[in-house]
Amino acid sequence: MLQVRHLLAANPGAVTFSMAAVTTHILGIETSCDETAAAVIRRTPGGAGEILSDIVLSQLKDHAPYGGVVPEIAARAHIDHLDRLVSRAMEEAGIGFAGLDGVAATAGPGLLGGVIVGLTMAKGIALAHGKPLLAVNHLEGHALTARLLQKVDFPYLLLLISGGHTQFQIVEGVGRYRRLGTTIDDALGEAFDKVAKLLGLGYPGGPQVERRAKAGNPRRFDFPRPLKGRKDCNFSFSGLKTAVREVVNDLGALSDRDVADVCASFEAAVAETMADRLKMAVQLFREAHPHAGRPALIVAGGVAANARLKAVFETAAQAHRLTLIVPPAKLCTDNAAMIAWAGAERLALGLTDDLGVAARARWPLDQAQAPAYGSGKLGAKA
Ligand code: KG4
Ligand code: ZN
């Protein structure tokens, strides 16, 4: 206890102060899943962002033989590579630790072993150099990324679709979120990965399914459109995945045509589902913010790379008077620049953390909402 008190006293992050009026430089660290990442960003007093360095080391090949992320392998790989990545990120940014205004790290949600690795390193740097610590919610990183690249006013609608998350949030401000819907079982990227696995395609499956779907017939198999027409905007993908499994089992030996047709029919079911869920989300958004005019629709996460789905979002944005923003893939998928940026936005509001802050496996963005029932490959976290 004495030791903890000593640490807290030594950490200026424990003191709340505002840095909205100065240019800040933040180191960000991301280790919540299967990417080890470090980045340095700059934020001007006007709120403009600039990435000074952005390094992501994917562990894809370490996990590929298992068809998914293995938590223990992930944590060990973070330990092996993180210090080198942080050194490189600092070097590329061209500012020493003394030039930093804060150290941000993902503190959850995610695979606990990995989160602890990154958060502990951030605490060490913050303590050693007397800098504020910013314990960032990984989902907040995704939610605020678009503001790093361009001016985006609050409130806006966020659709986060990745291997671990599938949710709609109203982003009302930094630290102010309202969850509109989430998955009650699998995450969307996870559904793509599982379908790919059923078809004997590689991991991660999303890009493979998209590639094979291009040559396929989207009407050959009539897969379910989960939750379509329901008056909320939750998602469910496990029934769709089961339907795909049954078709694949019935087909027996799969020809190239079969694989292409299953992929195309699956993608068509997902596209129709997303259009329906999006319609509901916009309705709920408009009810919450009737005077929002033409708000942004931000789509983030690895699945946002899917061209078929992007077309759905474009059509929906036009129909519902939204400005669609899909950040570049590098910032949509897991990275540390988004963590550094979220840290910078928090620091500008004086939202710093003390060194006693704990890593969290689960951490909903919208604290007022009950945790979701579902899973996603990382367990219930939304
Ligand atoms: O955001 P991300 O890189 O990592 C996290 O899960 O946090 O997302 C990875 C997911 C994987 O499930 C992958 O299959 C999916 O995004 N994905 C895609 C595509 N590219 C990646 N899904 C559908 N179509 C794609 N083109
Ligand atoms: Zn993520």
Side-chain angles (χ1 to χ4, degrees):
M1 191 61 205
L2 253 182
Q3 202 178 5
V4 171
R5 268 208 212 107
H6 172 72
L7 288 180
L8 293 181
N11 177 26
V15 182
T16 300
F17 60 100
S18 167
M19 293 199 66
V22 291
T23 295
T24 52
H25 295 87
I26 308 291
L27 166 67
I29 293 174
E30 158 61 35
T31 55
S32 68
C33 191
D34 56 348
E35 268 95 20
T36 315
V40 177
I41 64 97
R42 173 187 293 145
R43 182 186 183 279
T44 68
E50 190 186 338
I51 299 174
L52 303 185
S53 62
D54 179 15
I55 304 170
V56 179
L57 182 73
S58 171
Q59 302 174 1
L60 213 56
K61 63 176 184 340
D62 300 329
H63 302 283
Y66 306 95
V69 179
V70 183
E72 181 63 13
I73 292 177
R76 281 170 192 273
H78 292 309
I79 291 172
D80 287 346
H81 301 294
L82 185 58
D83 54 353
R84 189 172 47 84
L85 255 66
V86 167
S87 300
R88 261 185 58 203
M90 292 300 297
E91 220 168 275
E92 276 181 29
I95 53 167
F97 286 109
L100 291 174
D101 299 286
V103 185
T106 298
L111 300 171
L112 202 54
V115 175
I116 289 171
V117 172
L119 184 58
T120 305
M121 170 152 308
K123 286 179 181 179
I125 296 171
L127 182 63
H129 297 279
K131 304 294 176 186
L133 174 71
L134 302 140
V136 171
N137 182 316
H138 177 90
L139 302 173
E140 182 159 50
H142 282 300
L144 299 176
T145 312
R147 287 166 51 85
L148 164 57
L149 300 174
Q150 65 194 92
K151 189 173 177 318
V152 185
D153 292 329
F154 299 121
Y156 53 81
L157 180 61
L158 170 75
L159 170 60
L160 184 53
I161 39 176
S162 71
H165 342 283
T166 302
Q167 52 184 266
F168 282 114
Q169 299 269 355
I170 301 179
V171 183
E172 297 184 330
V174 175
R176 292 172 46 214
Y177 303 93
R178 210 186 295 186
R179 195 185 75 206
L180 296 178
T182 184
T183 180
I184 58 174
D185 41 57
D186 295 343
L188 181 53
E190 190 181 12
F192 270 93
D193 293 336
K194 286 179 176 171
V195 165
K197 203 170 177 184
L198 284 170
L199 295 170
L201 305 175
Y203 173 83
Q208 313 279 351
V209 170
E210 174 169 28
R211 190 169 59 80
R212 301 297 284 263
K214 287 203 175 97
N217 173 4
R219 281 174 296 277
R220 175 160 164 208
F221 303 107
D222 187 18
F223 291 132
R225 275 56 173 157
L227 307 188
K228 191 175 171 198
R230 275 258 302 257
K231 296 284 171 226
D232 61 33
C233 54
N234 284 329
F235 300 92
S236 167
F237 295 108
S238 84
L240 174 55
K241 173 195 65 193
T242 305
V244 172
R245 182 189 296 121
E246 280 165 7
V247 161
V248 169
N249 288 345
D250 288 350
L251 285 169
L254 297 170
S255 66
D256 281 353
R257 169 126 311 275
D258 292 335
V259 170
D261 290 348
V262 169
C263 289
S265 301
F266 168 76
E267 232 181 41
V270 170
E272 205 178 310
T273 304
M274 295 311 285
D276 176 71
R277 305 287 75 202
L278 198 46
K279 197 165 75 190
M280 278 311 304
V282 175
Q283 199 172 311
L284 295 172
F285 182 95
R286 295 271 182 214
E287 281 167 20
H289 294 280
H291 307 297
R294 194 186 174 93
L297 164 63
I298 310 234
V299 186
V303 187
N306 185 290
R308 174 88 184 72
L309 295 182
K310 229 183 255 175
V312 168
F313 304 139
E314 268 156 19
T315 307
Q318 274 192 5
H320 302 301
R321 288 182 300 115
L322 306 167
T323 302
L324 177 67
I325 301 175
V326 182
K330 194 158 189 264
L331 288 176
C332 256
T333 55
D334 287 350
N335 66 86
M338 72 178 190
I339 302 304
W341 176 252
E345 294 241 56
R346 294 184 72 80
L347 182 64
L349 297 176
L351 300 172
T352 60
D353 297 274
D354 67 53
L355 289 176
V357 69
R360 299 171 65 170
R362 299 180 183 198
W363 185 1
L365 259 189
D366 179 353
Q367 306 275 353
Q369 292 266 13
Y373 1 80
S375 64
K377 71 181 174 189
L378 308 180
K381 41 194 252 175

